[in-house]
């Protein structure tokens, strides 16, 4: 006790008189004492014994760190270098960052799954000591060959280190250092040599302490950041191991997660991330090794700071690019969770801020093979939510037009619903979403103009259905596509039927309907019902002149094609049937100018009739078609049954 008080009086006198050279001499003397006694070759048990029972060693350790804690503003560069060296020496035996504080730390993948699901990481309660030790920071900061001891000496050694408050020196106490002393401390922690010279364990400890210094001195970020940046760049070089790369990346992501809400600091951090990981020409082996840390890190960043991230090319674009970088098969759910936070929990997105997000969503939907189809379904729902928000914003400005990004959303939905790589439930969700998206323009929240409807049908719905028909997808998707066409046309016909563009829309709709009848598994009955329903609605809207002769001929051709497919006619017979329909005399029907339907005797004398058998089949098909479309809107349930019997009558 007397010796300790003597040392303290000397230190207090030197500090009061502001004599940093005297303090430096005292600290270097104490450091040499520790170096002679606390040799790195000692076993952990011998080290614990010295710290527990050797009074000289205990005194030197206590006074040494008291000087650094109480008079840090007077320490020179040599003093801070000695402090870092003795900290590394002591932690070689697990005395600074204790084993019990960090054992059982979750792996990066597990933390990512927990974060993406909105829960806390699950702790490992098993007895797999090797797994716990390898997943802990302690294994990287201490000698892995030493065993953790729970004896009396170990307890006394840990108690001594707690009283020295070594970690507090680099954390809370560093906030009270002068700027000059803080810079000296940061430079002392700077990792500027190879792992062979310093050692990976010591290098990671210095990096960890330097991150703590930066976090506790964020108001003086510009003073300490250069040293941390230098260390990060040094430790991401190929001479360091993959495990070091991962720990360094995790440290950088942690720093961004904690400080990204400060715009001035966020600009610096995101620019560093862009240069290190996003610029072309980066080491692909490095990116592959650190991808789990990047995935968890970007999720934590957006969860903690999404409301504060500036919509600038430096910050916002880096976040979106990071999400796309980690959007791989193994980290798809994490990247989708990050994208959801960016889109749903931030300020309303539009224009340049939304476009990169939609690009990432396309990548997630079409280029990622995730085992859980629920993730793809969630991505589709996110896309629909984005469009609904766009419509809500557009309704406040001009409810008569679609949002500018609507066509991009429709195009992406079309690619999803027609993709044979995606599970069938995902494709069905996309088709249903496409249909619900169109309904958003029919009064809630928008009431778009006729020109906008024409545009969305020609460039959105019809191309999507053509794309769906060309894909080798399940019948259930085709049925939903046909249902989407029916709903869209029934919704738009009341405003379209009296306009000039009706003819082209109807012709295109007939082509699409005919396409559903030419599938590998054709939807004959379903197309018949849809066409009958549409014609009945048209009759109610415009009366007898709803279709011109040209439109009637096209409509009857589709009907005849459906009948021919139902009758299983040969291709030659179907061509003859269509030829007959082209020369049938016109007659006024309830729906306008249509083909005349009469008995076999009324067709007598027609030169275009080449075969009586084909004529009978054609007339019967047309009769059934007209009956179908004159059902006054009721559901057509009659089935066309044709029996081609030879007839001697002309």
């Amino acid at each position: 006790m007397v010796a300790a008080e003597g040392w303290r009086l000397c230190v207090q006198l030197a500090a009061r008189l502001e004599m940093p050279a005297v303090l430096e001499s005292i600290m270097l003397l104490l450091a040499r004492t520790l170096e002679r006694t606390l040799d790195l070759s000692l076993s952990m048990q011998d080290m614990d014994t010295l710290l527990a029972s050797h009074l000289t060693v205990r005194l030197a350790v206590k006074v040494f760190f008291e000087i650094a804690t109480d008079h840090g503003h007077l320490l020179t560069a040599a003093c801070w270098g000695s402090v870092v060296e003795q900290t590394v020496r002591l932690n070689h035996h697990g005395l600074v960052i204790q084993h019990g504080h960090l054992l059982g730390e979750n792996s990066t993948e597990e933390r990512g799954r927990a974060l993406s699901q909105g829960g806390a990481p699950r702790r490992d309660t098993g007895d797999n000591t090797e797994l716990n030790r390898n997943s802990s920071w302690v294994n990287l900061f201490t000698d892995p060959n030493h065993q953790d001891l729970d004896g009396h000496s170990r307890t006394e050694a840990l108690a001594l280190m707690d009283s020295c408050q070594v970690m507090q020196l680099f954390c809370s106490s560093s906030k009270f250092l002068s700027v000059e002393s803080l810079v000296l401390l940061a430079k002392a922690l700077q990792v500027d040599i190879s792992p062979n010279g310093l050692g990976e364990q010591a290098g990671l400890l210095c990096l960890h302490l330097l991150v703590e210094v930066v976090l506790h001195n964020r108001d003086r970020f510009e003073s300490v950041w250069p040293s941390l940046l230098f260390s990060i760049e040094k430790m991401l070089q190929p001479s360091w191991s993959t495990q070091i790369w991962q720990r360094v990346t995790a440290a950088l992501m942690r720093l961004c997660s904690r400080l990204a809400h400060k715009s001035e600091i966020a600009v610096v951090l995101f620019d560093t991330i862009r240069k290190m990981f996003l610029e072309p020409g980066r080491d692909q082996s490095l990116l592959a090794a650190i991808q789990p840390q990047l995935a968890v890190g970007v999720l934590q960043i957006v969860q903690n700071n999404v409301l504060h991230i500036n919509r600038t090319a430096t910050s916002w674009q880096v976040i979106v690019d990071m999400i796309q970088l980690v959007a791989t098969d193994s980290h798809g759910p994490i990247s989708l969770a990050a994208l959801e936070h960016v889109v749903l929990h931030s300020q309303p997105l539009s224009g340049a801020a939304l476009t990169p997000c939609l690009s990432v969503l396309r990548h997630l939907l079409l280029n990622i093979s995730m085992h859980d189809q629920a993730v793809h379904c969630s991505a589709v729902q996110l896309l629909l939510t984005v469009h609904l928000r766009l419509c809500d914003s557009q309704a406040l400005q001009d409810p008569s037009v679609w949002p500018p990004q609507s066509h991009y959303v429709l195009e992406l939905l079309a690619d999803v619903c027609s993709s044979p790589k995606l599970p069938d439930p995902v494709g069905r969700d996309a088709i249903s979403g496409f249909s619900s998206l169109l309904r958003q323009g029919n009064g809630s929240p928008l009431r778009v103009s006729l020109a906008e409807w024409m545009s969305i049908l020609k460039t959105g719905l019809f191309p999507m259905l053509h794309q769906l028909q060309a894909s080798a997808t399940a019948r259930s998707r085709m049925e939903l596509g046909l249902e989407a066409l029916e709903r869209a046309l029934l919704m738009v016909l009341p405003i379209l039927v009296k306009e000039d563009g009706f003819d082209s829309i109807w012709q295109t709709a007939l082509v699409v309907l005919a396409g559903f009848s030419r599938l590998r598994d054709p939807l004959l009955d379903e197309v018949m019902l849809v066409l009958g329903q549409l014609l009945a609605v048209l009759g109610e809207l415009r009366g007898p002149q709803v279709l011109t002769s040209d439109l009637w001929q096209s409509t009857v051709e589709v009907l005849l094609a459906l009948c021919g497919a139902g009758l299983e006619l040969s291709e030659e017979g179907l061509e003859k049937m269509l030829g007959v329909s082209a020369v049938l005399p016109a007659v006024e029907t309830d729906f306008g100018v249509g083909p005349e339907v009469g008995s076999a005797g009324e067709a007598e004398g027609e030169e275009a009739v080449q075969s009586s058998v084909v004529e009978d089949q054609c007339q019967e098909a047309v009769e059934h078609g007209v009956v179908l479309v004159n059902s006054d809107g009721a559901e057509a349930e009659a089935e066309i049954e044709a029996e081609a019997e030879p007839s001697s009558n002309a």
Side-chain angles (χ1 to χ4, degrees), residues 281-293:
R282 295 301 302 173
D283 186 359
Q284 294 302 314
S285 61
L286 170 65
L287 295 179
I290 64 176
Q291 198 166 67
Q293 285 71 32

Side-chain angles (χ1 to χ4, degrees), residues 192-489:
D192 58 354
I193 56 178
S194 65
N196 295 329
L198 178 64
E200 290 188 347
Q201 300 168 27
L204 276 175
L205 176 63
C206 291
L207 178 68
H208 179 73
L209 297 176
L210 189 51
V211 170
E212 293 297 328
V213 170
V214 173
L215 288 175
H216 285 83
N217 292 273
R218 60 192 69 183
D219 55 332
R220 299 183 287 181
F221 179 82
E222 67 281 356
S223 299
V224 293
W225 169 246
S227 296
L228 179 57
L229 177 61
F230 184 88
S231 299
I232 291 174
E233 291 176 343
K234 204 75 174 180
M235 299 180 74
L236 286 178
Q237 292 180 357
S239 57
W240 295 78
S241 68
T242 300
Q243 196 174 31
I244 300 301
W245 292 348
Q246 294 172 346
R247 294 296 182 178
V248 172
T249 305
L252 179 58
M253 293 295 104
R254 176 185 173 223
L255 199 67
C256 291
S257 175
R258 295 281 298 276
L259 301 180
H261 64 282
K262 293 183 172 294
S263 57
E264 300 84 359
I265 298 177
V267 171
V268 177
L269 294 176
F270 288 138
D271 186 60
T272 301
I273 291 177
R274 179 183 59 81
K275 293 178 180 178
M276 288 186 173
F277 307 127
L278 300 177
E279 286 187 348
R282 295 301 302 173
D283 186 359
Q284 294 302 314
S285 61
L286 170 65
L287 295 179
I290 64 176
Q291 198 166 67
Q293 285 71 32
L294 292 176
V296 175
V298 72
L299 179 57
Q300 290 176 332
I301 291 172
V302 298
Q303 283 180 336
N304 297 337
N305 307 278
V306 69
L307 293 175
H308 308 286
I309 297 176
N310 292 331
R311 306 287 175 82
T312 61
T314 304
S315 300
W316 186 259
Q317 189 63 45
V318 167
I319 287 293
V320 178
D321 290 346
M322 284 280 291
I323 295 175
Q324 181 159 354
L325 178 64
V326 301
T328 59
D329 295 350
S330 55
H331 301 108
I334 299 178
S335 57
L336 178 60
L339 187 61
E340 286 178 346
H341 273 80
V342 167
V343 173
L344 302 181
H345 301 292
S346 64
Q347 300 174 0
L349 298 177
S350 61
L354 180 61
T355 301
C357 297
L358 293 177
S359 177
V360 175
L361 199 53
R362 168 178 285 275
H363 178 73
L364 280 169
L365 283 168
L366 300 178
N367 299 332
I368 303 301
S369 301
M370 289 176 282
H371 302 292
D372 188 3
Q373 69 181 23
V375 179
H376 276 118
C377 293
S378 298
V380 172
Q381 293 304 316
L382 176 60
L383 181 61
L384 298 177
T385 303
V386 168
H387 191 268
L388 180 59
R389 289 192 171 190
L390 290 174
C391 290
D392 290 336
S393 300
Q394 184 66 33
L396 300 176
Q397 304 174 14
D398 186 1
S400 65
V401 298
W402 292 102
Q405 290 84 3
S406 289
H407 290 281
Y408 185 90
V409 174
L410 290 173
E411 180 183 349
L412 178 53
L413 283 174
D415 293 339
V416 172
C417 68
S418 61
S419 174
K421 299 179 181 179
L422 295 176
D424 195 50
V426 179
R428 294 200 301 268
D429 281 357
I431 298 174
S432 300
F434 201 109
S435 182
S436 65
L437 185 150
L438 294 179
R439 290 198 296 271
Q440 294 169 8
N442 193 35
S444 178
L446 301 176
R447 187 172 292 278
V448 298
S449 63
L450 175 63
E452 288 290 305
W453 272 118
M454 296 279 289
S455 175
I456 209 71
L457 290 177
K458 291 181 178 180
T459 63
L461 178 63
F462 293 149
M464 184 274 286
L465 294 176
H466 284 306
Q467 192 173 341
L468 178 64
Q469 292 169 359
S471 64
T473 53
R475 180 185 176 90
S476 58
R477 291 199 208 181
M478 300 298 176
E479 292 174 346
L480 279 177
L482 180 59
E483 182 180 347
L485 174 63
E486 179 185 13
R487 290 182 176 180
L489 291 178

Side-chain angles (χ1 to χ4, degrees), residues 28-206:
L28 295 180
L29 177 61
L30 294 172
R32 284 195 292 270
T33 302
L34 295 177
E35 290 174 4
R36 288 195 301 267
T37 54
L38 303 180
D39 193 278
L40 293 178
S41 61
L42 293 175
S43 66
M44 182 176 288
Q45 186 174 4
D46 293 339
M47 177 70 72
D48 292 341
T49 302
L50 282 173
L51 292 175
S53 58
H54 200 294
L55 295 180
T56 302
V57 174
R58 291 175 62 87
L59 174 63
V61 171
K62 184 71 174 176
V63 174
F64 182 84
F65 285 103
E66 278 185 1
I67 297 174
T69 303
D70 298 337
H71 309 288
H73 61 286
L74 295 175
L75 298 187
T76 62
C79 293
W80 282 119
S82 181
V83 170
V84 173
E85 182 181 352
Q86 299 310 315
T87 303
V88 170
R89 181 182 300 275
L90 290 168
N91 201 72
H92 182 76
H93 300 279
L95 294 169
V96 177
I97 299 180
Q98 300 176 19
H99 290 241
H101 289 178
L102 292 173
L103 280 177
E105 181 182 359
N106 301 106
S107 65
T108 300
E109 291 78 4
E110 185 176 357
R111 283 185 284 124
R113 287 194 299 270
L115 287 170
S116 63
Q117 296 169 3
R122 180 182 61 83
R123 291 202 171 274
D124 187 359
T125 56
D127 296 330
N128 193 340
T129 306
E130 182 67 20
L131 175 62
N132 291 337
R133 183 170 62 82
N134 287 337
S135 64
S136 170
W137 277 89
V138 175
N139 180 49
L140 298 172
F141 291 158
T142 61
D143 188 350
N145 297 320
H146 291 155
Q147 300 295 323
D148 193 7
L149 303 177
D150 297 326
H152 177 72
S153 297
R154 185 63 173 177
T155 303
E156 291 293 326
L158 293 176
L160 173 63
M161 296 309 303
D162 288 340
S163 65
C164 293
Q165 299 179 338
V166 179
M167 285 303 299
Q168 182 179 346
L169 170 63
F170 299 96
C171 298
S172 58
S173 296
S174 65
K175 296 188 294 185
F176 304 101
L177 296 175
S178 62
V179 175
E180 295 78 8
S181 186
L182 181 64
V183 171
L184 293 177
L185 170 59
K187 289 184 177 180
L189 290 169
Q190 187 172 288
V191 180
D192 58 354
I193 56 178
S194 65
N196 295 329
L198 178 64
E200 290 188 347
Q201 300 168 27
L204 276 175
L205 176 63
C206 291

